[in-house]
Amino acid sequence: MMLTTIALPSSDQEIGPRRRGAIYQNADGRFEVLVLVTDPAEAAALLRRDSARWAVIIRDTLRPDGQPFAVGSVWTDSDYLIRPAKEAAPSPAFAPAA
């Protein structure tokens, strides 16, 4: 019996270029990245899942009433970067609403 080893993508590969300040677009809209959450417990709580390695808080810039929301979908070929992330300060802390 031969075992096949499959390497899972790293968190950085899954997140792609989505860092604070980046704007990307896909079939669902055009999104600005507000916060990248890399704490697994906080990411899981934001995504309302049992576990998660990371989450991204984004807002749809094509909607005038676009409210921030968290996603945990991986970066794919259907996503494309419109504006790279700002290199300045680290992401601010995120405090979940009550």
Side-chain angles (χ1 to χ4, degrees), residues 44-68:
L46 283 169
L47 297 171
R48 296 185 177 108
R49 296 182 186 166
D50 290 335
S51 66
R53 296 195 292 176
W54 55 270
V56 181
I57 300 173
I58 59 175
R59 71 174 182 88
D60 191 339
T61 63
L62 297 177
R63 297 179 56 117
D65 63 340
Q67 297 297 311

Side-chain angles (χ1 to χ4, degrees), residues 23-56:
I23 295 179
Y24 70 100
Q25 187 163 340
N26 59 31
D28 297 325
R30 181 180 299 153
F31 306 100
E32 178 181 16
V33 177
L34 303 176
V35 180
L36 170 60
V37 178
T38 56
D39 175 67
E42 188 176 351
L46 283 169
L47 297 171
R48 296 185 177 108
R49 296 182 186 166
D50 290 335
S51 66
R53 296 195 292 176
W54 55 270
V56 181

